[in-house]
Amino acid sequence: AVLIGDSVRGQLGFTGLPTLAFDEIATVTDPDVEFSIVFPFLGAGGGESALDTANLSGNSIDIFSDLGADIIATPAFFWKFSDLDWVGNTPGIITGVTLTSGPAVDVANIGWTDNSITIDFNEYFNPPQVRNWSFDIQTQHSVPDNGPTLIMLGLTFLGIPYARKKLAGPTTAAKL
């Protein structure tokens, strides 16, 4: 099962602020989808931009943050991905999300539902210019239950000889 053909929503916001810095819906056409946002001129000198990128694939999320050289602090922020519906013959649900690389001290919380993921990051002072985090998405995929169909098919096959006898009428011995 993959996310191809699905519409995925990516959001980036700052904890405690009512509006989102980024809110976009993208249709997945490749095995993954990328969301990017540039925060212009966030540096103390006014000429440095910050870039945050999240790359979501069927079983992982990679988040890249380039704060620029002049950033001295960042507020707490979050990335949220929703409407994650695996398409294909085996639909799936999210059963867990695990940080696999990157500074764990920056990650305040990882939350998920059947079809969404929220990753909360702590505020930090004097951060390194570039940070990367990778997360593994655990899913459970189900195969459609064919039990009732097989039972009905079996009963149909069992009923065919009976129906043939009934349609053929009484046997010759019964007629005598």
Side-chain angles (χ1 to χ4, degrees):
V2 294
L3 290 170
I4 294 177
D6 187 23
S7 292
V8 176
R9 184 175 189 180
Q11 298 173 301
L12 173 67
F14 296 99
T15 306
L17 295 180
T19 59
L20 295 168
F22 176 85
D23 188 358
E24 184 177 304
I25 296 175
T27 300
V28 183
T29 56
D30 292 324
D32 57 0
V33 64
E34 182 174 285
F35 298 101
S36 291
I37 182 169
V38 175
F39 297 100
F41 313 118
L42 287 181
E48 193 76 27
S49 295
L51 169 69
D52 271 27
T53 302
N55 187 20
L56 172 69
S57 71
N59 61 356
S60 67
I61 301 172
D62 295 311
I63 296 176
F64 170 79
S65 184
D66 182 349
L67 298 175
D70 297 329
I71 300 294
I72 57 171
T74 62
F77 66 98
F78 64 88
W79 271 102
K80 181 175 182 176
F81 306 95
S82 55
D83 301 327
L84 302 173
D85 303 313
W86 279 260
V87 295
N89 294 333
T90 54
I93 61 169
I94 298 168
T95 58
V97 180
T98 307
L99 176 68
T100 56
S101 70
V105 69
D106 294 340
V107 180
N109 186 48
I110 303 170
W112 65 87
T113 66
D114 287 355
N115 67 352
S116 70
I117 298 170
T118 302
I119 303 168
D120 296 305
F121 293 89
N122 293 314
E123 63 184 1
Y124 44 93
F125 299 94
N126 298 319
Q129 180 175 349
V130 176
R131 295 241 178 164
N132 294 295
W133 301 272
S134 292
F135 301 87
D136 183 49
I137 304 170
Q138 293 87 45
T139 58
Q140 177 182 3
H141 298 276
S142 61
V143 177
D145 184 14
N146 291 328
T149 304
L150 293 175
I151 290 171
M152 291 302 294
L153 189 59
L155 290 174
T156 301
F157 284 131
L158 288 175
I160 289 174
Y162 175 76
R164 279 188 168 173
K165 280 184 181 180
K166 193 166 185 147
L167 288 173
T171 60
T172 359
K175 290 181 187 176
L176 297 173

